[in-house]
Amino acid sequence: MSPYLASLAGGLLIGASAVTLLLLNGRIAGISGIVGRLAQGVGLSTNLAFVLGLLLGPIAYLSLFVGWPQIEITTPWPIIIVAGLLVGFGSRMGSGCTSGHGVLGLARLSPRSMAAVATFLATGIIAVAILRGVGL
């Protein structure tokens, strides 16, 4: 399968799940908010079902394609861990993550989401430029 088709299928599934959650529950499919509510014990059944769906997705992929895609991560683990913590901190500080702001916020023409996504992208571009500049 072409890598573009797999990306298109993944994007369609993300969009469909986000729209379904919005239409059926009136909730934004922002992963940081869903995980945060799950940790607080709020909306347990819906939030747990959504997170389980995220975790079971790779198992469904494995059963369909009988193997994992080839990937290579060359970034050292300490940088990956720090980056993950910064993303978590940023999502709480920005009242949402790329899934909530980027997928549904932009589709709803939310000014706050437009500002958040512009900030995500600019920060990512700057971080890559700095890390490449220092040889990482």
Side-chain angles (χ1 to χ4, degrees), residues 9-51:
L12 289 171
L13 288 171
I14 289 169
S17 66
V19 168
T20 301
L21 186 64
L22 182 63
L23 292 176
L24 296 180
N25 283 5
R27 302 292 314 175
I28 299 294
I31 305 308
S32 61
I34 289 171
V35 171
R37 285 189 298 279
L38 182 62
Q40 294 169 352
V42 177
L44 218 56
S45 60
T46 303
N47 293 323
L48 183 60
F50 198 91
V51 170

Side-chain angles (χ1 to χ4, degrees), residues 32-133:
S32 61
I34 289 171
V35 171
R37 285 189 298 279
L38 182 62
Q40 294 169 352
V42 177
L44 218 56
S45 60
T46 303
N47 293 323
L48 183 60
F50 198 91
V51 170
L52 283 176
L54 292 174
L55 296 174
L56 293 175
I59 295 169
Y61 178 93
L62 186 60
S63 68
L64 288 172
F65 297 103
V66 194
W68 298 111
Q70 291 295 99
I71 61 169
E72 181 181 344
I73 299 173
T74 58
T75 304
W77 279 105
I79 291 177
I80 292 173
I81 292 168
V82 168
L85 292 170
L86 287 172
V87 166
F89 175 74
S91 344
R92 296 305 284 172
M93 191 169 77
S95 299
C97 57
T98 52
S99 55
H101 285 300
V103 175
L104 282 174
L106 292 181
R108 294 177 314 129
L109 301 176
S110 164
R112 187 175 84 160
S113 290
M114 289 181 197
V117 171
T119 302
F120 297 156
L121 290 173
T123 305
I125 290 167
I126 291 166
V128 167
I130 291 170
L131 290 173
R132 286 191 177 166

